[in-house]
Amino acid sequence: MSDSTAPLRVGLVGFGLAGAVFHAPLIEAVPGLRLHTVATADPDRRARLAREYPHARAVDDAAQLLADPARLDLVVIASPNRAHVPVARAALEAGLPVVVDKPLAATAAEARDLAALATAKGLLLTVFQNRRWDTDFRTVKKLIAEGALGTVHRFESRFERWRPALKAGWRESADPVDAGGLLYDLGSHLVDQALHLFGPALLVYAETDSRRSGAAIDDDTFITLTHASGVRSQLWMSALAAQPGPRFRVLGDRAAYTVYGLDPQEDALAAGARPGPGWGAPAERDWGILGTPGDERPYPSLPGDYPAFYAAVATALRDGGPPPVDPADAITALEVLEAARLSAAEDRTVSLLHTGAAAA
């Protein structure tokens, strides 16, 4: 690893949407990290890399990036899903800590193997569950922690979009190794958030449909989780929602909280904005509503804070702190997603009592 005063040198595998819009700018926003090498063979992406990060070198693929592991302190994997496991395994075998974009793997079994390898090597392995740092999720977490809602009994969460046209690419692939479809794409976020707030799930029920003409994967999906805590989470994800529902509706025995819209950080990053003063703060008109009938009021939203993920990665590597996302959380979420897929296929509720997913 580089000396304790120099920024940690980061190798980034992939410079598409995830790599260019999310990971690269967030890595550069953290003083203790520096983008060093990027694996992409695409000429247009290389040209963008040269414009935006002229200090970073480009290589063709992950094998070239890992050929000299002494040049790096961290590997970030932002490639298509099918490459997550083999590239993460190669990086860990090379002695490098790893950040993997969600989902960590296509199956819980593969994720468990990766986590075991990281533990055996004594290396950090974490998962980019950036939606834990969304403005609305941070606000919900604060309200629950402070008891403003009382005892929560129902949690409704939605990622609904209007994208009726099919797009070329691996996200539309039905090959299981690609983990395509909304269940694994948006569901990775929604399930992670629900488990993070309310703990393990005991029962899973799901409905998955392919609504768009020619779609080979699920694009309209619903999941219900019954948590050991007694809370029921209802999770919607759709590519065919011409009028999206609330992002969150959280019902407690003291009050409820409802908020619409999406966290502004993704759009800001895609537009070229970079973290700084005022970052992640939604407009006041986008605040959610807290209260009861006759006593409802806008509740100030906490700012979103995606840079906090990589700040925690830097701290973990420098000082030995915990990873920002425990890979055990990703394994549990994948167990839930697998149960949801089984539930939808067999039209029944699936119990997780017989698996480690239900353990506290």
Side-chain angles (χ1 to χ4, degrees):
M1 186 170 285
S2 57
D3 71 72
S4 60
T5 60
L8 299 171
R9 302 161 298 176
V10 181
L12 175 61
V13 180
F15 203 63
L17 171 64
V21 173
F22 286 99
H23 293 278
L26 295 176
I27 289 165
E28 288 284 293
V30 175
L33 301 176
R34 183 71 161 169
L35 193 63
H36 181 278
T37 305
V38 176
T40 178
D42 183 276
D44 292 336
R45 294 176 181 178
R46 281 191 168 218
R48 179 177 182 178
L49 177 68
R51 289 193 309 270
E52 297 182 4
Y53 308 100
H55 57 277
R57 73 182 182 117
V59 295
D60 287 340
D61 53 32
Q64 289 185 17
L65 183 140
L66 295 172
D68 186 3
R71 301 181 69 169
L72 299 172
D73 302 302
L74 172 69
V75 173
V76 175
I77 301 170
S79 57
N81 291 344
R82 66 166 54 219
H84 286 187
V85 170
V87 176
R89 183 180 294 116
L92 292 168
E93 292 285 7
L96 291 166
V98 177
V99 171
V100 184
D101 207 314
K102 63 80 198 169
L104 174 59
T107 69
E110 290 177 313
R112 281 191 288 269
D113 287 345
L114 274 184
L117 177 60
T119 298
K121 295 283 187 179
L123 295 168
L124 176 138
L125 172 66
T126 190
V127 188
F128 188 62
Q129 292 287 355
N130 59 300
R131 295 295 178 175
R132 292 189 185 186
W133 289 269
D134 276 358
T135 169
D136 42 29
F137 183 73
R138 295 188 69 222
T139 303
V140 166
K141 190 175 178 181
K142 176 176 181 286
L143 288 168
I144 293 172
E146 292 177 348
L149 304 175
T151 300
V152 172
H153 56 269
R154 188 172 302 278
F155 174 65
E156 299 176 7
S157 176
R158 293 170 174 84
F159 270 139
E160 295 179 324
R161 299 165 171 170
W162 179 241
R163 297 180 179 176
L166 298 179
K167 290 186 176 181
W170 59 267
R171 286 182 176 84
E172 298 282 358
S173 169
D175 190 328
V177 300
D178 288 316
L182 292 191
L183 179 62
Y184 278 79
D185 184 15
L186 302 181
S188 293
H189 287 309
L190 298 183
V191 169
D192 176 75
Q193 289 179 330
L195 297 178
H196 190 60
L197 287 176
F198 303 113
L202 300 180
L203 300 173
V204 179
Y205 170 78
E207 302 166 2
T208 60
D209 292 289
S210 300
R211 303 290 190 184
R212 296 165 302 157
S213 177
I217 45 80
D218 67 290
D219 55 20
D220 185 32
T221 296
F222 170 72
I223 306 173
T224 292
L225 307 180
T226 302
H227 297 267
S229 61
V231 177
R232 291 190 189 273
S233 291
Q234 296 179 312
L235 315 175
W236 287 263
M237 57 216 81
S238 178
L240 275 178
Q243 295 183 358
R247 175 65 186 90
F248 291 119
R249 190 171 79 121
V250 192
L251 306 180
D253 61 6
R254 180 177 175 185
Y257 174 75
T258 304
V259 63
Y260 284 80
L262 291 175
D263 179 278
Q265 294 177 91
E266 179 175 354
D267 285 347
L269 289 167
R274 295 297 178 257
W279 177 259
E284 187 171 339
R285 65 178 179 274
D286 294 326
W287 291 355
I289 301 298
L290 171 68
T292 58
D295 183 26
E296 295 176 326
R297 61 195 184 279
Y299 185 83
S301 295
L302 293 175
D305 193 11
Y306 291 169
F309 174 88
Y310 273 109
V313 169
T315 298
L317 293 176
R318 291 287 192 197
D319 304 328
V325 176
D326 191 325
D329 293 351
I331 294 168
T332 301
L334 283 164
E335 289 170 341
V336 171
L337 293 175
E338 289 176 348
R341 185 170 56 190
L342 178 62
S343 169
E346 299 186 355
D347 191 23
R348 65 180 179 90
T349 298
V350 174
S351 171
L352 293 175
L353 286 172
H354 63 287
T355 74

